């Protein structure tokens, strides 16, 4: 294939795979796609180790990194300690979480809701992670929340690395182009993780028309098959940005019981909720997401405070779910898009890439055959 993205990134098949797992990034990259490591959950030291491992296993093939340098964080720039951040979590919210955990067979004291082993992201951590990323031969860097800071764009361009940014509305796209972003990732509401309210089918052509083709656009949101990728190309996209489809692969970081829940789920088994990060993000429905939607539930806290109470609880649920705790299994969740309804069997990353390619070809042939000579 030849699109603006294949030319820009030096790849043959414009399938970009976002994952927090280095194994997924390597396997997709080596199979002909383009892996993108979600690096924001790492410290600079662990990101260095992850990227060094990727470098050693892709044989020079191109890959990218996604690092969130958020513009709106509680305490941003104040250099608050972990203890100071924890003190900002209201007691009623702590009690709500403790009650929810206790109701699902996971004994929890109110004082244990926020655990010291979970460290909220350092407000300046994004810049430190950029230092690490640019020490490696990355070919693309993306920012998933808002307009990337000018420092990120300038550093990337100085290194000859294109910058991508996710958008959920055409007005966001216009701001990104004005800021100097090189690639727009038009992510519809079907997507797992942070997303807006507009569907992919509507958003992609809307963003393309609004920006007038100034930069390539990747389609994202619910894309888990090659025929959906073909539809995105037909809409004018230069490729597909995918995430959910890799979560059920053997290589993925997803907890095993959650993988099983995803493989059994329908497209209606997700919810767009702020209950995990403080911003609306689509995830697998569970007792956790449903409890926060009940009347009388506290309002989710802003970033990163909500993550400081959700991540310890949900990580603990993952561990206990694997041990057979039924209450923990009810709580277990992870980010995933509506495409989960098409993810009904486990495949390796390599097989998934191959299936994308084959399905894409069949879809294109079907469209071609529909034209009456």
């Amino acid at each position: 294939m030849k699109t603006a993205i294949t030319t820009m990134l030096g790849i043959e098949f414009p399938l970009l795979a976002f994952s927090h797992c280095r194994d997924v990034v390597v396997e997709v990259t080596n199979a002909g796609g383009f892996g993108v490591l979600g690096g924001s959950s790492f410290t600079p030291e662990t990101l260095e180790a992850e990227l060094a491992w990727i470098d050693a296993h892709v044989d020079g093939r191109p890959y990218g990194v996604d690092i969130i340098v958020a513009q709106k964080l509680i305490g941003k720039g104040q250099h608050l300690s972990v203890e100071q951040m924890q003190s900002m979590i209201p007691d009623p919210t702590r009690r709500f979480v403790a009650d929810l955990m206790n109701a699902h067979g996971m004994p929890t004291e109110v004082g244990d809701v926020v655990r010291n082993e979970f460290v909220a992201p350092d407000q300046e951590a994004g810049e430190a992670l950029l230092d690490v990323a640019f020490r490696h031969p990355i070919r693309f860097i993306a920012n998933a929340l808002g307009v990337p800071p000018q420092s990120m764009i300038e550093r990337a361009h100085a290194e000859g690395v294109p910058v991508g940014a996710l958008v959920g509305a055409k007005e966001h796209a216009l701001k990104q182009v004005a800021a100097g972003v090189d690639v727009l990732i038009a992510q519809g509401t079907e997507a797992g993780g942070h997303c807006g309210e507009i569907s992919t089918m509507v958003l992609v052509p809307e963003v393309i028309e609004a920006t007038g083709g100034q930069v390539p656009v990747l389609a994202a949101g619910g894309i888990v098959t090659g025929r959906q990728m073909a539809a995105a190309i037909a809409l004018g996209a230069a490729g597909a940005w995918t995430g959910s489809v890799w979560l059920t692969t053997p290589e993925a970081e997803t907890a095993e019981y959650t993988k099983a829940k995803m493989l059994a789920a329908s497209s209606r088994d997700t919810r767009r909720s702020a209950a995990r990060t403080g911003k609306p993000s689509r995830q697998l429905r569970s007792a956790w997401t449903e409890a926060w939607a009940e009347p009388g539930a506290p309002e989710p806290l802003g970033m990163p405070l909500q993550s400081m109470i959700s991540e310890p609880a949900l990580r603990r649920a993952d561990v206990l779910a694997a041990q057979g705790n039924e209450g923990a299994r009810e709580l277990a969740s992870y980010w995933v898009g509506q495409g989960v309804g098409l993810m009904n069997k486990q495949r390796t990353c390599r097989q998934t890439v191959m299936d994308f390619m084959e399905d894409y070809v069949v879809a294109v042939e079907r469209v071609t055959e529909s034209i009456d000579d």
Side-chain angles (χ1 to χ4, degrees), residues 61-218:
R61 296 181 181 89
Y63 70 93
V65 176
D66 182 297
I67 294 175
I68 297 175
V69 186
Q71 299 298 298
K72 295 181 180 180
L73 284 175
I74 292 173
K76 184 177 177 67
Q78 297 179 34
H79 305 287
L80 301 178
S81 67
V82 173
E83 291 73 20
Q84 287 174 313
M85 295 293 289
Q86 291 175 347
S87 70
M88 300 171 71
I89 298 173
D91 286 339
T93 301
R94 294 172 184 257
R95 286 195 295 272
F96 176 82
V97 173
D99 289 345
L100 179 58
M101 302 293 280
N102 287 320
H104 287 82
M106 299 173 61
T108 303
E109 297 291 336
V110 173
D112 292 333
V113 167
V114 181
R115 295 171 175 246
N116 286 332
E117 65 261 28
F118 179 77
V119 180
D122 179 1
Q123 306 307 312
E124 309 304 325
E127 293 292 340
L129 293 176
L130 290 179
D131 291 339
V132 175
F134 288 125
R135 289 202 294 267
H136 292 266
I138 60 171
R139 292 287 296 275
F140 182 70
I141 192 161
N143 186 56
L145 279 178
V147 177
Q150 199 59 36
S151 61
M152 178 179 180
I153 296 173
E154 290 174 356
R155 292 180 68 179
H157 288 172
E159 297 285 345
V161 176
V163 180
L166 277 73
V167 298
K170 69 176 183 180
E171 56 268 28
H172 300 159
L174 293 170
K175 290 179 181 178
Q176 299 281 11
V177 171
V181 164
D182 305 291
V183 179
L184 295 174
I185 303 161
Q187 179 163 278
T189 192
E190 301 96 322
H194 295 110
C195 59
E197 300 177 284
I198 305 170
S199 72
T200 305
M201 181 67 76
V202 172
L203 181 64
V204 171
E206 188 174 32
V207 166
I208 291 171
E209 289 189 16
T211 56
Q214 295 178 64
V215 299
V217 174
L218 294 171

Side-chain angles (χ1 to χ4, degrees), residues 242-314:
T242 58
S244 295
V245 70
W246 314 106
L247 294 173
T248 55
T249 62
E251 299 92 340
E253 80 282 5
T254 323
E256 289 303 317
Y257 184 75
T258 305
K259 286 183 183 179
K261 288 181 76 169
M262 289 180 181
L263 290 169
S266 75
S267 57
R268 299 178 68 182
D269 291 327
T270 69
R271 176 186 282 276
R272 184 173 174 268
S273 167
R276 187 145 189 164
T277 70
K279 283 185 174 290
S281 64
R282 189 170 296 284
Q283 54 215 274
L284 197 64
R285 283 181 183 268
S286 76
W288 178 271
T289 61
E290 303 314 286
W292 285 88
E294 290 290 328
E299 286 293 318
L301 306 173
M303 295 181 75
L305 299 184
Q306 187 68 19
S307 294
M308 294 178 70
I309 59 171
S310 68
E311 290 307 315
L314 292 172

Side-chain angles (χ1 to χ4, degrees), residues 188-192 200 220-225 228 241-242 244 337-340 342:
T189 192
E190 301 96 322
T200 305
I223 300 174
V224 299
T225 68
Q228 290 172 298
W241 173 277
T242 58
S244 295
Q338 291 178 331
V340 71
L342 292 168

